[in-house]
Amino acid sequence: MSTARTWAVALTGVDGHLVEVEADLSNQTPDFKIIGLPDKALGEAVQRVHNACKNAGLDLPRRRLTVNLSPASLPKHGSGFDLSIAVSTLAAGGLLARRSIAGTVHIGELGLDGRLRPVPGVLPAVFAASRAGFDRVIVPKANEDEARLVPGVEVRAAASLAEVAVWHGADVEVPDVDAVDAASPVPVREESLDLADVVGQPEAVEALIIAAAGGHHLLLSGPPGAGKTMLARRLPGILPRLTEKEALEVAAVRSLSGEVVTRLDGSPPLESPHHSTSAAALVGGGSRAARPGAIARAHRGVLFLDEAAEFSRVALDALRQPLESGVIDVHRAGFTARFPARFQLLLAMNPCPCGNYGIRGAECVCPPMAIRRYATRLSGPLRDRVDIDLQVMRVAAHRAMAGEGSSLTSSAARERVRAARERASERWRATPWRRNAEVSGTWLRQGALRLERAVRAPLDRALERGALTLRGYDRVLRLAWTMADLSDRDQPGLDEIGRALHLRRGTTQ
């Protein structure tokens, strides 16, 4: 028998698909072909595998070699198939044990000298192998820590092809080579960002806590120097720590981005792209393989768009679908990829291009048409998806010079947020939702916890006058439920409905 099989993983977004790598020898003119919809990088594996095997002392048979990647209809991208192609061809020639490689998933790129190089996306690839029932995976040494984050899988990390061959029964000397190092991990900058540093913005701090407790989207508008960015960067610090499952989801997206993942981080991520960022950089994608954009990297965390009105209209409108569905779909001619995108959106913008419109004592030099055009940079449908629209004014000089920060620290606010989320989770335990911002509007309006007519009256009047859309109506209800949770009340009353309407429409301090 001259056929051998092993397994690799093809990634489409964060979804991994097991690929059977099948090698066959035939008594014809020596040749080496890879079939099964490979891309350019995968097609070049022929030369990498040939040289790596030769330099590892594992000569390929001088016969016609055909490697099939099945299913053939699934696009395969990148160099992560090199190791599986090499071991299947060596096993077809009788140098490796066919039974051994058949129960193992191989992931890794080969260098011409036979060393194994790290590849991106190892974490979701090992997840896919585990879900498919495989319990043994071989990865490059540099990806070992990342692969071991998946429980229940035997991870073997190798520095060279020869080392892998010996594990599968080859009689070859394992050279003493230095493992190829992965890129340096992205340093985690430890910043001491505490709500106690915020001066004179009690209503903005409370709005930040409400947003964190319910998972609500927030727009901060106001003049330069009012503290919008300062407030926004403190939102991740009052969010609850990620669960292990959520941290694994975040790590999988980071792995696909090419970052080195060595441990699970329970801190919610914060993504803050520059206002010159294109729609493609926000959404993600690529010509051959899909890479996550800023929207996906903010999954389970915060996407902060500073100077939101300066972003392109196309980039801003790209947010609308993931805000509703919690996922982002990337469509290209050759593939469709889906990334998780359940994040909190935090926008900050000035009232006009110069920033002084409506500010007491300041002179606005913008013509009326420019002010109107600037205000409409955020489309109506996007604004309608924002739960809290808060106007932030500059702090008075006497309060700023007094140096008195907020009496509420981030740790105390985080405890309030945690308690409110526990109450919401207990209330929605029989439903698919856990946070108030996720609850279906139809369920809130018509379900078992529908509010009494007298409590809903201000909302009903606003809807009849056209001051609220039906989506806005639902978002006010969600805000009111979050306020009730923060106040340890069983359900919202007129006070919570009024405050929610106040935050929804915007307020001036």
Side-chain angles (χ1 to χ4, degrees), residues 161-326:
L161 175 60
E163 191 175 347
V164 177
V166 168
W167 289 341
H168 292 308
D171 184 13
V172 65
E173 182 180 352
V174 178
D176 186 15
V177 298
D178 294 330
V180 179
D181 292 330
S184 300
V186 177
V188 178
R189 186 172 61 180
E190 298 293 341
E191 293 183 301
S192 178
L193 300 179
D194 201 289
L195 280 178
D197 300 331
V198 178
V199 177
Q201 300 284 8
E203 192 165 9
V205 169
E206 185 63 22
L208 213 62
I209 293 172
I210 293 170
H216 304 289
H217 308 306
L218 174 66
L219 168 62
L220 298 175
S221 58
K228 302 186 296 293
T229 303
M230 183 182 190
L231 286 162
R233 293 195 174 276
R234 280 153 178 78
L235 177 57
I238 64 175
L239 293 175
R241 300 279 293 178
L242 301 178
T243 64
E244 184 177 357
K245 180 183 177 182
E246 292 169 342
L248 282 168
E249 292 174 5
V250 172
V253 174
R254 296 291 177 183
S255 175
L256 285 169
S257 301
E259 296 184 17
V260 179
V261 179
T262 57
R263 62 183 178 86
L264 292 182
D265 187 0
S267 302
L270 171 66
E271 284 292 320
S272 181
H274 191 261
H275 59 74
S276 62
T277 297
S278 65
L282 272 179
V283 172
S287 58
R288 294 188 300 272
R291 287 294 184 91
I295 290 175
R297 293 196 302 273
H299 178 59
R300 299 296 181 185
V302 177
L303 179 64
F304 173 43
L305 302 187
D306 202 3
E307 304 296 342
E310 301 295 339
F311 282 77
S312 73
R313 185 69 172 263
V314 175
L316 290 173
D317 284 343
L319 297 168
R320 287 157 58 178
Q321 182 242 340
L323 285 176
E324 287 295 318
S325 64

Side-chain angles (χ1 to χ4, degrees), residues 233-430:
R233 293 195 174 276
R234 280 153 178 78
L235 177 57
I238 64 175
L239 293 175
R241 300 279 293 178
L242 301 178
T243 64
E244 184 177 357
K245 180 183 177 182
E246 292 169 342
L248 282 168
E249 292 174 5
V250 172
V253 174
R254 296 291 177 183
S255 175
L256 285 169
S257 301
E259 296 184 17
V260 179
V261 179
T262 57
R263 62 183 178 86
L264 292 182
D265 187 0
S267 302
L270 171 66
E271 284 292 320
S272 181
H274 191 261
H275 59 74
S276 62
T277 297
S278 65
L282 272 179
V283 172
S287 58
R288 294 188 300 272
R291 287 294 184 91
I295 290 175
R297 293 196 302 273
H299 178 59
R300 299 296 181 185
V302 177
L303 179 64
F304 173 43
L305 302 187
D306 202 3
E307 304 296 342
E310 301 295 339
F311 282 77
S312 73
R313 185 69 172 263
V314 175
L316 290 173
D317 284 343
L319 297 168
R320 287 157 58 178
Q321 182 242 340
L323 285 176
E324 287 295 318
S325 64
V327 296
I328 181 72
D329 293 310
V330 178
H331 296 272
R332 295 294 182 267
F335 63 87
T336 300
R338 170 168 287 191
F339 297 103
R342 195 162 295 282
F343 59 90
Q344 278 188 252
L345 178 64
L346 206 165
L347 305 168
M349 62 180 291
N350 296 328
C352 68
C354 77
N356 290 326
Y357 177 68
I359 308 304
R360 182 181 302 174
E363 181 183 1
C364 177
V365 297
C366 304
M369 182 61 70
I371 296 173
R372 286 196 295 271
R373 189 163 50 243
Y374 193 81
T376 58
R377 293 294 294 272
L378 301 185
S379 65
L382 178 59
R383 280 183 176 268
D384 207 30
R385 287 167 169 82
V386 175
D387 303 308
I388 300 174
D389 183 353
L390 185 71
Q391 293 184 359
V392 184
M393 302 304 291
R394 289 174 180 152
V395 179
H398 72 277
R399 303 186 74 171
M401 297 306 294
E404 296 178 0
S406 170
S407 59
L408 185 67
T409 64
S410 288
S411 59
R414 192 184 309 115
E415 180 58 28
R416 285 186 62 194
V417 169
R418 183 199 61 77
R421 286 203 178 191
E422 283 185 357
R423 281 190 282 272
S425 180
E426 176 65 20
R427 180 172 58 252
W428 311 122
R429 66 184 183 278

